[in-house]
Amino acid sequence: MQHNDSAHQTNQTPTNKIPLFFREEHSGFIARGNFMTLAMKPQLVEQGEWLAHQMSEQYRLLGGMLKIVQEVDPTRGKSICSDQSCPTMSAGSASYTWIDQNRNPMPLPAPTYTKHIQTWVGGKVLDTTLFPVDPFATAPSIPSAAQQSSDPSYWLGKPSGFPQRYEAELKNMYKQMFRCYAHLYWSHWLAFWDLGAYRELNTCFVHFVNVGRLYGLLAERDVEPMQPLVELWVKQGVLPKVGKEETSAPGSAGGMGQGGSQAVSAAA
């Protein structure tokens, strides 16, 4: 308990500029090994099918992490993430608003926002017009990279029957799920620490980020609230270097948390 009290005191020190979850000593996982083995597409699996599998798995893993802060504590009569503790959906200096039916931004308490995301993503995964489930008489052919680039009518998942909007839908789903992870870290990491579950959170999140970066599902600007942790894992060799990281060194883990606030609307 003394160890936990020390973590709370350190995390709440006004002069402390680096949140505990951005520190190397708290960046570990529940398992050792190469996370690329979980993310790399098998050679004979079409990429659209592989990403459908990944999306279903990532949705399941995120749900497990959210459940920790959503379940009502019988001794307190409320959940860790409540309308009182989290009146807005935020992650550090970033705040997120929902989009109503008239396409207007609408602030929501974090519990409502995250449940909307779970319902929305779950509905997408079960939508057979987006994730077709009809069996094939024969396995679809897997086009080479050269064939894909030379075919102007090609889109992700086309050989397996996924619609043309499939890639855009995946990116939007991934963006919203990332916001849930970012909120868990910025608002509830100490709860995971107290429960001894922060390594489980790291393990789910690093797998989520690895898949998103590897297949281009995460935009750089959307990763900003958690960029120091991503850069730390890149520096450690846990995550591969992609894009600009291949030619520039990772930045300092102390670079977050000092900028002005920014409001971002959901594209759901």
Side-chain angles (χ1 to χ4, degrees):
M1 183 60 69
Q2 183 178 1
H3 193 45
N4 283 5
D5 290 343
S6 177
H8 280 263
Q9 183 177 4
T10 301
N11 204 52
Q12 293 171 2
T13 301
T15 57
N16 177 46
K17 297 182 180 180
I18 305 176
L20 289 175
F21 48 83
F22 287 156
R23 299 187 180 188
E24 188 165 11
E25 61 265 33
H26 304 311
S27 64
F29 313 103
I30 59 173
R32 294 183 179 181
N34 187 348
F35 284 96
M36 289 298 291
T37 60
L38 299 176
M40 286 295 292
K41 180 184 74 66
Q43 185 176 1
L44 298 181
V45 176
E46 193 271 323
Q47 187 160 317
E49 291 280 5
W50 180 243
L51 290 182
H53 159 73
Q54 286 290 346
M55 183 59 68
S56 178
E57 181 69 0
Q58 298 297 346
Y59 174 68
R60 181 185 68 83
L61 293 173
L62 173 61
M65 294 298 99
L66 287 173
K67 186 177 180 180
I68 292 176
V69 301
Q70 290 173 340
E71 287 191 332
V72 175
D73 182 348
T75 63
R76 299 168 51 198
K78 60 182 179 180
S79 59
I80 294 172
C81 185
S82 65
D83 290 0
Q84 292 73 36
S85 65
C86 302
T88 61
M89 179 67 176
S90 62
S93 61
S95 60
Y96 306 114
T97 56
W98 193 254
I99 296 294
D100 65 18
Q101 294 181 345
N102 297 319
R103 308 301 298 172
N104 296 317
M106 178 175 60
L108 292 175
T112 304
Y113 190 106
T114 54
K115 288 179 181 178
H116 279 358
I117 292 300
Q118 288 182 280
T119 301
W120 178 73
V121 173
K124 293 285 186 181
V125 171
L126 295 175
D127 181 358
T128 56
T129 67
L130 181 59
F131 290 85
V133 295
D134 293 335
F136 290 99
T138 58
S141 60
I142 303 176
S144 64
Q147 290 173 322
Q148 293 177 21
S149 60
S150 63
D151 181 3
S153 65
Y154 175 82
W155 63 79
L156 176 66
K158 181 180 180 180
S160 294
F162 292 92
Q164 194 166 356
R165 73 181 196 278
Y166 182 57
E167 183 173 5
E169 294 276 14
L170 287 180
K171 290 180 177 179
N172 201 12
M173 294 161 69
Y174 228 79
K175 176 176 66 176
Q176 299 295 346
M177 293 167 69
F178 181 92
R179 293 177 178 182
C180 293
Y181 272 116
H183 178 74
L184 289 178
Y185 274 94
W186 278 97
S187 297
H188 303 299
W189 186 86
L190 283 174
F192 283 86
W193 171 273
D194 288 340
L195 294 169
Y198 72 93
R199 290 186 181 89
E200 283 83 352
L201 179 62
N202 285 347
T203 303
C204 292
F205 184 56
V206 75
H207 179 37
F208 177 85
V209 170
N210 193 29
V211 170
R213 284 158 48 91
L214 187 63
Y215 297 101
L217 301 178
L218 283 172
E220 185 176 352
R221 66 181 180 275
D222 295 325
V223 182
E224 286 181 0
M226 298 302 300
Q227 191 65 40
L229 184 56
V230 173
E231 290 177 350
L232 176 59
W233 284 333
V234 171
K235 183 179 179 180
Q236 293 173 340
V238 175
L239 291 174
K241 295 181 179 180
V242 296
K244 292 191 298 183
E245 293 168 355
E246 296 174 352
T247 56
S248 62
S252 167
M256 282 297 297
Q258 303 305 308
S261 63
Q262 54 177 323
V264 184
S265 294

